Amino acid sequence: MKNLFKYLSLIFTLLFIWAAYVQYNDPDALLWYAIYGVAAAASLFFYLGKLNFTGAIILSGIYFVGTFILWPDKFEGVTIGNGDIVNIERGRESLGLLIVAMVMLIYALRLRLANKSKV
């Protein structure tokens, strides 16, 4: 089970790097580079055994707060052409933050369970 989480964290490291890369044409690309870059670094730290529970839970909380701040007033999906482009873009951004928040929460829970099993 330990190896499963290690390999998943390596996969998420690559996915978050890819998510940062595809932000190159976004008007606020530097912000999203930082958001996904921190997520990629945290995933790499988890893989290397350097991420602690507190760091993972703080990151999860920050990403959850970001999800709720960016959530559009009216969620219209993520497909362009199905509604107001601003709502769709905010919906996409908030869902991206939600994915990161959930991954960080899974890391935190895994770290907590791993620490309890050592006691």
Side-chain angles (χ1 to χ4, degrees), residues 20 23 32 42 63-64 66-67 69 85 87 89 94 99 111 114 119:
Q23 299 300 320
W32 290 99
Y63 284 112
F64 272 122
T67 298
I69 289 172
I85 188 67
N87 282 340
E89 181 65 18
S94 61
I99 291 168
L111 289 166
V119 175

Side-chain angles (χ1 to χ4, degrees), residues 7-70:
Y7 292 124
L8 283 175
S9 67
L10 191 58
I11 290 168
F12 273 108
T13 300
L14 298 173
L15 288 172
F16 292 143
I17 290 170
W18 180 256
Y21 171 74
V22 298
Q23 299 300 320
Y24 65 90
N25 65 348
D26 200 279
D28 52 355
L30 291 178
L31 172 66
W32 290 99
Y33 289 157
I35 288 169
Y36 288 122
V38 168
S43 293
L44 183 61
F45 288 162
F46 183 88
Y47 175 78
L48 297 173
K50 304 292 183 188
L51 183 67
N52 63 24
F53 171 78
T54 305
I57 206 75
I58 288 171
L59 285 174
S60 180
I62 290 169
Y63 284 112
F64 272 122
V65 167
T67 298
F68 292 110
I69 289 172
L70 282 180

Side-chain angles (χ1 to χ4, degrees), residues 87-117:
N87 282 340
I88 292 169
E89 181 65 18
R90 288 185 65 136
R92 288 177 174 185
E93 290 172 346
S94 61
L95 289 175
L97 291 175
L98 181 60
I99 291 168
V100 177
M102 293 300 296
V103 169
M104 295 303 136
L105 183 60
I106 290 169
Y107 291 163
L109 294 174
R110 176 66 185 149
L111 289 166
R112 177 55 55 117
L113 290 173
N115 287 338
K116 283 191 178 197
S117 67

